[in-house]
Amino acid sequence: DTGVSQDPRHKITKRGQNVTFRCDPISEHNRLYWYRQTLGQGPEFLTYFQNEAQLEKSRLLSDRFSAERPKGSFSTLEIQRTEQGDSAMYLCASGPRRGQRNTEAFFGQGTRLTVV
Amino acid sequence: GNSVTQMEGPVTLSEEAFLTINCTYTATGYPSLFWYVQYPGEGLQLLLKATKADDKGSNKGFEATYRKETTSFHLEKGSVQVSDSAVYFCAREGQGAQKLVFGQGTRLTINP
């Protein structure tokens, strides 16, 4: 297993455009998380899935943001009508292994979004 | 509230110096605590963790002890190397143990 994979690594978009990011978690993990990290700050929780069910969403996740995990494997995060304030690193994480307590998350390298 | 506060950076040390990065947290109950590290150009990696009071997490010469009396989880290393240069994040389990709450990160630079 190569770990959590995110695509693309970088995205530059014009304000008002829609963007979609993809995350492929570690295959034996049943939870998948999305975080956002702005410059000089720690990651902030956005949302998480257990299998295909989206169980929690942060207040940071405005109605322009939507996340899916249709088959309980990969996930997508879409941002509609992007704004400059959306510029950030979007991190995906997965964990734990099924049957284990949630005490650890494995992170991807992130997708850096720049809205110009 | 439920938050994590880290020592502000950047921190610059010489090789073989002693390192402490302070971390305190607020929480109801006793959440698991973590230190993550982000090396240049790489993703966040778990460095060490502690799941209950008085536990000591350790890895790669780094240590941190879960202190419930002082609600702290300070990161220490006796002799740092240039390769330890990175950004270090303290984190705690969020409410319901379904997510992580991170501190703002501390950038560490080790000079030869």
Side-chain angles (χ1 to χ4, degrees):
Chain A
D1 195 337
T2 57
V4 178
S5 176
Q6 292 188 246
D7 181 70
R9 293 288 308 279
H10 304 274
K11 178 71 177 178
I12 300 174
T13 190
K14 291 184 178 179
R15 190 175 54 183
Q17 297 294 305
N18 299 343
V19 294
T20 300
F21 312 140
R22 177 180 170 124
C23 171
D24 287 273
I26 294 172
S27 57
E28 61 263 34
H29 291 172
N30 62 349
R31 289 192 187 139
L32 184 149
Y33 304 83
W34 285 100
Y35 289 81
R36 183 174 70 185
Q37 185 178 17
T38 53
L39 200 62
Q41 299 298 317
E44 297 172 293
F45 171 79
L46 292 178
T47 188
Y48 94 97
F49 294 82
Q50 178 142 337
N51 302 312
E52 65 276 10
Q54 188 173 16
L55 296 187
E56 186 176 347
K57 293 193 287 186
S58 160
R59 291 173 298 173
L60 293 174
L61 213 67
S62 76
D63 56 6
R64 296 185 296 105
F65 288 69
S66 62
E68 295 183 345
R69 194 183 183 196
K71 298 181 181 178
S73 57
F74 74 91
S75 175
T76 58
L77 177 68
E78 182 183 15
I79 309 174
Q80 295 182 328
R81 306 181 302 282
T82 51
E83 301 173 356
Q84 286 188 320
D86 297 331
S87 296
M89 178 75 85
Y90 290 84
L91 298 172
C92 178
S94 70
R97 288 182 173 80
R98 289 175 179 81
Q100 290 187 344
R101 182 171 178 260
N102 181 24
T103 60
E104 185 171 340
F106 295 82
F107 283 81
Q109 291 186 291
T111 294
R112 181 170 295 284
L113 173 67
T114 303
V115 181
V116 297
Chain B
N2 296 318
S3 66
V4 177
T5 302
Q6 280 183 242
M7 170 177 167
E8 283 198 25
V11 174
T12 303
L13 296 172
S14 297
E15 206 166 19
E16 299 183 3
F18 184 85
L19 168 71
T20 300
I21 301 178
N22 290 339
C23 172
T24 58
Y25 66 93
T26 59
T28 52
Y30 302 103
S32 292
L33 302 174
F34 308 85
W35 277 99
Y36 278 81
V37 59
Q38 191 169 35
Y39 297 104
E42 299 185 17
L44 279 167
Q45 301 173 25
L46 179 67
L47 179 61
L48 53 83
K49 65 181 180 182
T51 57
K52 60 183 188 295
D54 300 325
D55 266 4
K56 178 185 283 187
S58 60
N59 186 28
K60 299 182 180 179
F62 290 89
E63 292 184 339
T65 302
Y66 192 141
R67 303 281 189 201
K68 67 176 181 180
E69 301 84 5
T70 53
T71 60
S72 65
F73 193 55
H74 304 324
L75 183 68
E76 296 182 335
K77 186 172 185 180
S79 176
V80 291
Q81 305 301 312
V82 172
S83 57
D84 294 326
S85 298
V87 182
Y88 291 81
F89 293 91
C90 185
R92 56 175 289 278
E93 278 180 328
Q95 208 161 4
Q98 305 305 342
K99 57 183 178 283
L100 294 170
V101 178
F102 286 87
Q104 78 273 28
T106 302
R107 181 174 296 279
L108 173 67
T109 301
I110 307 300
N111 293 322

